[in-house]
Amino acid sequence: MRCRLHRNKKRKHGVHTRLYSAILVLALGVSLLSGAYCVPAVYARTEAERQRDKYKDKLKETNDDIKDIKNNQEDVSKDLKTAAANMNALLAKQETLKGDISKKQAEVEKANDSLVEAKRVEKEQYEAMKLRIQYMYENSTDNSIWTAIVESDGLADMLNRIEYATDLYQSDRDLMDSYETAVQQVEDWTQQLAVEMENLLALKDEYDKQQDDLDVLIARLEEKKEDYAQQLADAKAQAADYKQTVNKYEEIIRAQEAAAAQQNPNSYDGGGSGASGGIGSDSYLQDPSCNPSNATNVSGAEVVAYARQFVGNPYVWGGNSLTNGCDCSGFVHLVFQHFGISTPRYSQAFKTVGQPVSYQNIQAGDVVVYPGHVAIYIGNGCIVEAQSTKAGITETRSVNCHTITAIRRLV
C-alpha cells in the first residue's frame, strides 16, 4: 500500500513528467515539420523509440498499480461486507438481550414483592401467635405454661417446652416453620435473580464494547475505501497521460519513417536497423526454455502460406492493402487479421503481443521485431516482409538482417 506522501510525490512527479513530455513532443514535432530536425534518421528514430519505451514502462507500472489498487478495493469491500454482517448479528443479539433483561427485571420486581409479602405474613402470624399464647396464659390455671414462657431461650425453645400442654402449640410451630421456609425460599429466589441480572448486564457491556469496536473498524474500512478510490482515480489519470505521451512518440516515429521514405522513395530500405545478426537485450531471446505452445487453432505454416501469396506486391507507407500496397506493420497486421487474430498497427507495438519466443526456438509464423521494422519468419532462416518502397513485399532476406529486438508467437 502506498502512503499518502508517496502518492503526492508521485502526482507532482507526474505533473512535471507530463509537462516535460508535452514540451519534448512539441519540439520534436515542430522540428520534424519544419525540416530542421537534422539528427540522422536512424538515431532520431532510436531516440524517439527510447522515449516511447520509457513511457510504456511507466504506463505498465501504473497499470500494475491500478490492478493492485483494485485488488485492495476488493479486499476492503469483502472486509466491509463481513463487518456489516457481524454488526447486524450483534444488533440482533443486543435486541434479544434487551428483551431478556426486561423479562428478568420483571421477575426481580415480582420476587422482591413476594419477599416483602412473605415477611409481612410471617410477622403477622408471629404476632397472632403471641396473642394466642398470652390469652392461654391469662386464662389458664396451669403455672407450667407461664414457667415455659419465662424460662424459654427463644421461640423454638418456648414451643418445645409448652408442646405437651396443647395441640395448639404444635399447630403454631408448624405454621411458623412453614412461614420461615417460605421466606427463605423467596430470599433464595431473589438472590438467584440478582445474579442472573448481573450476568445479563455484563453481557450487555460486552456487546456494547463489540459494537464500539465494529464502529471503529467500519469507519476505518470506509476511509480506506475512499482512499483507494482516490488512488485509483489518480492512477487512471496518470495512465491516460502516459498513454497519450506514448501515442505522441509513436506518431513522431511513424512521421520520421514516412519522411525518410518520401525523401528517397526509390531507395528507401524500410524499417530496420542494428548490426546484422544482432540479438536484443531481453533475456528471453536467449533462453532455451522459452518455447510456448500454440494458443490458437491456426498453425504457423498456414500463416506463412497466406503471407507468401502477396510477395511482389508494392510497399506503400501507411497502406492497408495486401494487394495494392502496405507498410511493414500493415503487412503483418493484415496477415494475422485474416485469421481473426488482433494485432497492433505499429511495428514496435508487436514487442508485447502474443507470447515471447527465444531465438533458438523460432518457428514458421512467429513475428520478428527489429528497430523500426517487423516481419514474419517463414523458416530456413528467412522472413517474409513489406521490406521497402524499392523492394516491395519480399521473402528473401535473412532473419538476421538487422538486430532482433523481439520474437513473438501469436498463433
Side-chain angles (χ1 to χ4, degrees):
M1 182 186 303
R2 298 166 183 254
C3 67
R4 198 177 298 275
L5 177 61
H6 175 73
R7 291 197 304 275
N8 289 337
K9 288 183 177 179
K10 186 174 180 181
R11 291 192 194 108
K12 291 180 180 178
H13 174 71
V15 172
H16 296 158
T17 300
R18 293 195 293 274
L19 180 60
Y20 169 77
S21 300
I23 293 173
L24 180 58
V25 170
L26 179 61
L28 287 173
V30 171
S31 299
L32 177 64
L33 293 175
S34 64
Y37 195 77
C38 58
V39 180
V42 171
Y43 173 80
R45 182 168 60 250
T46 302
E47 173 63 17
E49 287 177 357
R50 187 184 69 79
Q51 291 293 329
R52 186 275 322 281
D53 290 344
K54 180 179 74 173
Y55 283 99
K56 283 181 73 174
D57 290 341
K58 290 178 178 290
L59 176 60
K60 182 179 182 302
E61 179 184 352
T62 304
N63 285 332
D64 289 341
D65 289 343
I66 289 174
K67 186 182 297 184
D68 291 340
I69 293 170
K70 288 182 176 179
N71 289 336
N72 289 335
Q73 283 182 316
E74 290 180 4
D75 291 340
V76 169
S77 295
K78 290 178 182 177
D79 291 343
L80 270 172
K81 186 176 180 180
T82 300
N86 291 339
M87 178 65 82
N88 289 335
L90 180 60
L91 291 176
K93 289 180 179 179
Q94 287 178 317
E95 192 64 26
T96 300
L97 179 62
K98 182 179 178 181
D100 293 341
I101 290 175
S102 178
K103 291 178 181 178
K104 192 62 63 179
Q105 183 63 40
E107 290 183 39
V108 169
E109 292 175 358
K110 181 179 178 181
N112 288 334
D113 291 343
S114 297
L115 181 59
V116 170
E117 177 64 15
K119 287 184 176 181
R120 186 192 66 79
V121 171
E122 180 189 32
K123 183 177 180 181
E124 183 181 275
Q125 293 300 322
Y126 180 70
E127 294 298 330
M129 186 184 69
K130 287 199 299 182
L131 290 174
R132 284 195 298 274
I133 293 172
Q134 181 181 357
Y135 175 80
M136 290 173 60
Y137 167 74
E138 291 175 350
N139 293 277
S140 174
T141 59
D142 188 353
N143 291 332
S144 63
I145 296 178
W146 169 247
T147 301
I149 293 174
V150 171
E151 295 180 356
S152 65
D153 293 331
L155 176 61
D157 185 46
M158 179 189 70
L159 290 176
N160 284 330
R161 289 173 178 272
I162 65 175
E163 184 177 17
Y164 68 92
T166 177
D167 290 341
L168 180 59
Y169 296 150
Q170 181 62 47
S171 176
D172 284 338
R173 178 173 180 174
D174 291 343
L175 283 173
M176 287 307 301
D177 286 345
S178 66
Y179 290 136
E180 290 177 356
T181 300
V183 170
Q184 186 61 50
Q185 288 177 344
V186 174
E187 286 181 342
D188 292 344
W189 179 36
T190 302
Q191 291 176 1
Q192 179 183 349
L193 290 175
V195 171
E196 292 174 355
M197 177 62 79
E198 288 179 1
N199 292 337
L200 289 175
L201 293 176
L203 185 58
K204 179 180 182 300
D205 291 340
E206 176 62 25
Y207 284 168
D208 289 343
K209 182 179 181 302
Q210 290 180 22
Q211 183 177 2
D212 291 341
D213 292 342
L214 281 173
D215 284 336
V216 172
L217 175 61
I218 290 174
R220 182 163 56 83
L221 290 173
E222 289 288 357
E223 183 179 353
K224 278 188 177 182
K225 183 178 179 181
E226 293 177 3
D227 188 39
Y228 285 137
Q230 185 61 53
Q231 288 185 42
L232 183 61
D234 292 345
K236 285 184 175 180
Q238 184 71 79
D241 289 340
Y242 285 150
K243 184 173 179 60
Q244 185 178 18
T245 302
V246 168
N247 290 338
K248 287 180 179 179
Y249 273 114
E250 288 182 346
E251 289 175 5
I252 290 173
I253 295 168
R254 291 174 66 86
Q256 289 171 344
E257 291 180 351
Q262 291 171 359
Q263 288 173 4
N264 195 353
N266 294 322
S267 62
Y268 176 58
D269 194 31
S273 64
S276 175
I279 300 294
S281 60
D282 284 349
S283 59
Y284 78 84
L285 287 170
Q286 300 187 45
D287 181 359
S289 66
C290 196
N291 186 23
S293 302
N294 284 27
T296 71
N297 295 325
V298 181
S299 69
E302 291 177 285
V303 173
V304 169
Y306 180 74
R308 295 178 72 177
Q309 297 180 62
F310 306 100
V311 171
N313 290 342
Y315 178 106
V316 176
W317 172 257
N320 287 298
S321 172
L322 292 170
T323 302
N324 299 324
C326 57
D327 55 19
C328 65
S329 59
F331 175 71
V332 177
H333 172 75
L334 291 169
V335 168
F336 280 96
Q337 186 181 67
H338 172 75
F339 295 97
I341 299 173
S342 178
T343 67
R345 183 58 182 82
Y346 173 65
S347 62
Q348 299 308 291
F350 280 89
K351 288 182 178 181
T352 58
V353 298
Q355 304 177 83
V357 183
S358 67
Y359 177 74
Q360 71 181 79
N361 291 317
I362 191 171
Q363 297 178 5
D366 289 342
V367 174
V368 185
V369 184
Y370 308 93
H373 191 56
V374 63
I376 299 172
Y377 185 68
I378 60 176
N380 297 321
C382 294
I383 54 175
V384 58
E385 60 182 326
Q387 180 179 340
S388 66
T389 53
K390 180 179 179 180
I393 298 176
T394 66
E395 59 176 352
T396 57
R397 284 212 298 177
S398 167
V399 69
N400 299 117
C401 59
H402 295 295
T403 299
I404 298 173
T405 59
I407 303 174
R408 313 296 292 191
R409 186 161 296 160
L410 277 64
V411 295

